[in-house]
PDB file of all heavy atoms in Angstrom:
ATOM      1  N   THR A 198     164.829  73.004 174.026  1.00  0.00           N
ATOM      2  CA  THR A 198     166.262  72.896 173.768  1.00  0.00           C
ATOM      3  C   THR A 198     167.024  73.530 174.921  1.00  0.00           C
ATOM      4  O   THR A 198     166.770  74.677 175.285  1.00  0.00           O
ATOM      5  CB  THR A 198     166.620  73.653 172.470  1.00  0.00           C
ATOM      6  OG1 THR A 198     165.829  73.116 171.428  1.00  0.00           O
ATOM      7  CG2 THR A 198     168.082  73.491 172.147  1.00  0.00           C
ATOM      8  N   PRO A 199     167.967  72.794 175.559  1.00  0.00           N
ATOM      9  CA  PRO A 199     168.709  73.385 176.674  1.00  0.00           C
ATOM     10  C   PRO A 199     169.524  74.591 176.211  1.00  0.00           C
ATOM     11  O   PRO A 199     170.016  74.608 175.094  1.00  0.00           O
ATOM     12  CB  PRO A 199     169.645  72.257 177.134  1.00  0.00           C
ATOM     13  CG  PRO A 199     169.198  71.030 176.433  1.00  0.00           C
ATOM     14  CD  PRO A 199     168.415  71.447 175.244  1.00  0.00           C
ATOM     15  N   THR A 200     169.636  75.590 177.058  1.00  0.00           N
ATOM     16  CA  THR A 200     170.458  76.748 176.695  1.00  0.00           C
ATOM     17  C   THR A 200     171.920  76.345 176.784  1.00  0.00           C
ATOM     18  O   THR A 200     172.273  75.393 177.483  1.00  0.00           O
ATOM     19  CB  THR A 200     170.215  77.919 177.663  1.00  0.00           C
ATOM     20  OG1 THR A 200     170.542  77.455 178.964  1.00  0.00           O
ATOM     21  CG2 THR A 200     168.783  78.386 177.623  1.00  0.00           C
ATOM     22  N   ALA A 201     172.787  77.109 176.105  1.00  0.00           N
ATOM     23  CA  ALA A 201     174.201  76.739 176.066  1.00  0.00           C
ATOM     24  C   ALA A 201     174.788  76.664 177.467  1.00  0.00           C
ATOM     25  O   ALA A 201     175.542  75.750 177.790  1.00  0.00           O
ATOM     26  CB  ALA A 201     174.955  77.734 175.210  1.00  0.00           C
ATOM     27  N   SER A 202     174.401  77.616 178.345  1.00  0.00           N
ATOM     28  CA  SER A 202     175.023  77.647 179.670  1.00  0.00           C
ATOM     29  C   SER A 202     174.543  76.486 180.541  1.00  0.00           C
ATOM     30  O   SER A 202     175.279  75.964 181.356  1.00  0.00           O
ATOM     31  CB  SER A 202     174.732  78.970 180.352  1.00  0.00           C
ATOM     32  OG  SER A 202     173.338  79.134 180.437  1.00  0.00           O
ATOM     33  N   LYS A 203     173.251  76.072 180.363  1.00  0.00           N
ATOM     34  CA  LYS A 203     172.719  75.019 181.215  1.00  0.00           C
ATOM     35  C   LYS A 203     172.884  73.647 180.577  1.00  0.00           C
ATOM     36  O   LYS A 203     172.691  72.637 181.228  1.00  0.00           O
ATOM     37  CB  LYS A 203     171.237  75.276 181.481  1.00  0.00           C
ATOM     38  CG  LYS A 203     171.012  76.450 182.419  1.00  0.00           C
ATOM     39  CD  LYS A 203     169.552  76.581 182.740  1.00  0.00           C
ATOM     40  CE  LYS A 203     169.319  77.808 183.616  1.00  0.00           C
ATOM     41  NZ  LYS A 203     167.936  78.239 183.557  1.00  0.00           N
ATOM     42  N   ARG A 204     173.178  73.608 179.270  1.00  0.00           N
ATOM     43  CA  ARG A 204     173.227  72.342 178.551  1.00  0.00           C
ATOM     44  C   ARG A 204     174.309  71.444 179.137  1.00  0.00           C
ATOM     45  O   ARG A 204     175.435  71.878 179.344  1.00  0.00           O
ATOM     46  CB  ARG A 204     173.498  72.648 177.072  1.00  0.00           C
ATOM     47  CG  ARG A 204     173.926  71.471 176.263  1.00  0.00           C
ATOM     48  CD  ARG A 204     173.863  71.777 174.789  1.00  0.00           C
ATOM     49  NE  ARG A 204     174.491  73.018 174.398  1.00  0.00           N
ATOM     50  CZ  ARG A 204     175.774  73.126 174.062  1.00  0.00           C
ATOM     51  NH1 ARG A 204     176.575  72.095 174.161  1.00  0.00           N
ATOM     52  NH2 ARG A 204     176.264  74.272 173.662  1.00  0.00           N
ATOM     53  N   PRO A 205     173.979  70.153 179.410  1.00  0.00           N
ATOM     54  CA  PRO A 205     175.035  69.247 179.884  1.00  0.00           C
ATOM     55  C   PRO A 205     176.126  69.132 178.834  1.00  0.00           C
ATOM     56  O   PRO A 205     175.849  69.184 177.633  1.00  0.00           O
ATOM     57  CB  PRO A 205     174.307  67.919 180.072  1.00  0.00           C
ATOM     58  CG  PRO A 205     172.853  68.217 180.013  1.00  0.00           C
ATOM     59  CD  PRO A 205     172.685  69.492 179.264  1.00  0.00           C
ATOM     60  N   LEU A 206     177.341  68.957 179.297  1.00  0.00           N
ATOM     61  CA  LEU A 206     178.510  68.908 178.412  1.00  0.00           C
ATOM     62  C   LEU A 206     178.343  67.886 177.293  1.00  0.00           C
ATOM     63  O   LEU A 206     178.819  68.081 176.174  1.00  0.00           O
ATOM     64  CB  LEU A 206     179.721  68.557 179.287  1.00  0.00           C
ATOM     65  CG  LEU A 206     181.086  68.428 178.653  1.00  0.00           C
ATOM     66  CD1 LEU A 206     181.532  69.745 178.033  1.00  0.00           C
ATOM     67  CD2 LEU A 206     182.109  67.958 179.692  1.00  0.00           C
ATOM     68  N   GLN A 207     177.655  66.777 177.596  1.00  0.00           N
ATOM     69  CA  GLN A 207     177.640  65.700 176.598  1.00  0.00           C
ATOM     70  C   GLN A 207     176.541  65.841 175.542  1.00  0.00           C
ATOM     71  O   GLN A 207     176.449  65.013 174.648  1.00  0.00           O
ATOM     72  CB  GLN A 207     177.577  64.342 177.259  1.00  0.00           C
ATOM     73  CG  GLN A 207     176.505  64.125 178.283  1.00  0.00           C
ATOM     74  CD  GLN A 207     176.689  62.795 179.002  1.00  0.00           C
ATOM     75  OE1 GLN A 207     177.509  61.963 178.623  1.00  0.00           O
ATOM     76  NE2 GLN A 207     175.919  62.574 180.049  1.00  0.00           N
ATOM     77  N   LEU A 208     175.725  66.903 175.626  1.00  0.00           N
ATOM     78  CA  LEU A 208     174.680  67.101 174.613  1.00  0.00           C
ATOM     79  C   LEU A 208     174.959  68.356 173.788  1.00  0.00           C
ATOM     80  O   LEU A 208     175.558  69.317 174.285  1.00  0.00           O
ATOM     81  CB  LEU A 208     173.308  67.232 175.280  1.00  0.00           C
ATOM     82  CG  LEU A 208     172.866  66.049 176.143  1.00  0.00           C
ATOM     83  CD1 LEU A 208     171.472  66.301 176.703  1.00  0.00           C
ATOM     84  CD2 LEU A 208     172.882  64.749 175.349  1.00  0.00           C
ATOM     85  N   ASN A 209     174.476  68.372 172.528  1.00  0.00           N
ATOM     86  CA  ASN A 209     174.613  69.591 171.726  1.00  0.00           C
ATOM     87  C   ASN A 209     173.368  70.469 171.898  1.00  0.00           C
ATOM     88  O   ASN A 209     172.478  70.154 172.698  1.00  0.00           O
ATOM     89  CB  ASN A 209     174.896  69.250 170.249  1.00  0.00           C
ATOM     90  CG  ASN A 209     173.704  68.626 169.540  1.00  0.00           C
ATOM     91  OD1 ASN A 209     172.586  68.634 170.058  1.00  0.00           O
ATOM     92  ND2 ASN A 209     173.940  68.082 168.352  1.00  0.00           N
ATOM     93  N   ASP A 210     173.322  71.579 171.138  1.00  0.00           N
ATOM     94  CA  ASP A 210     172.209  72.530 171.297  1.00  0.00           C
ATOM     95  C   ASP A 210     170.856  71.915 170.956  1.00  0.00           C
ATOM     96  O   ASP A 210     169.813  72.449 171.335  1.00  0.00           O
ATOM     97  CB  ASP A 210     172.445  73.756 170.397  1.00  0.00           C
ATOM     98  CG  ASP A 210     173.579  74.622 170.946  1.00  0.00           C
ATOM     99  OD1 ASP A 210     173.978  74.415 172.111  1.00  0.00           O
ATOM    100  OD2 ASP A 210     174.073  75.485 170.198  1.00  0.00           O
ATOM    101  N   GLN A 211     170.864  70.802 170.225  1.00  0.00           N
ATOM    102  CA  GLN A 211     169.617  70.122 169.850  1.00  0.00           C
ATOM    103  C   GLN A 211     169.270  68.983 170.817  1.00  0.00           C
ATOM    104  O   GLN A 211     168.347  68.222 170.555  1.00  0.00           O
ATOM    105  CB  GLN A 211     169.767  69.507 168.449  1.00  0.00           C
ATOM    106  CG  GLN A 211     170.258  70.481 167.395  1.00  0.00           C
ATOM    107  CD  GLN A 211     169.130  71.386 166.925  1.00  0.00           C
ATOM    108  OE1 GLN A 211     168.204  70.913 166.308  1.00  0.00           O
ATOM    109  NE2 GLN A 211     169.210  72.662 167.245  1.00  0.00           N
ATOM    110  N   GLY A 212     170.065  68.823 171.883  1.00  0.00           N
ATOM    111  CA  GLY A 212     169.827  67.735 172.831  1.00  0.00           C
ATOM    112  C   GLY A 212     170.337  66.392 172.336  1.00  0.00           C
ATOM    113  O   GLY A 212     169.994  65.350 172.885  1.00  0.00           O
ATOM    114  N   GLN A 213     171.173  66.401 171.270  1.00  0.00           N
ATOM    115  CA  GLN A 213     171.749  65.144 170.759  1.00  0.00           C
ATOM    116  C   GLN A 213     173.077  64.875 171.467  1.00  0.00           C
ATOM    117  O   GLN A 213     173.733  65.804 171.950  1.00  0.00           O
ATOM    118  CB  GLN A 213     172.022  65.250 169.255  1.00  0.00           C
ATOM    119  CG  GLN A 213     170.795  65.484 168.405  1.00  0.00           C
ATOM    120  CD  GLN A 213     171.180  65.892 166.988  1.00  0.00           C
ATOM    121  OE1 GLN A 213     172.093  66.684 166.762  1.00  0.00           O
ATOM    122  NE2 GLN A 213     170.469  65.347 166.017  1.00  0.00           N
TER     123      GLN A 213
END
Side-chain angles (χ1 to χ4, degrees):
T198 303
T200 59
S202 58
K203 288 185 183 160
R204 165 167 49 89
L206 180 62
Q207 51 188 351
L208 302 182
N209 69 12
D210 288 347
Q211 308 282 293
Q213 298 167 318

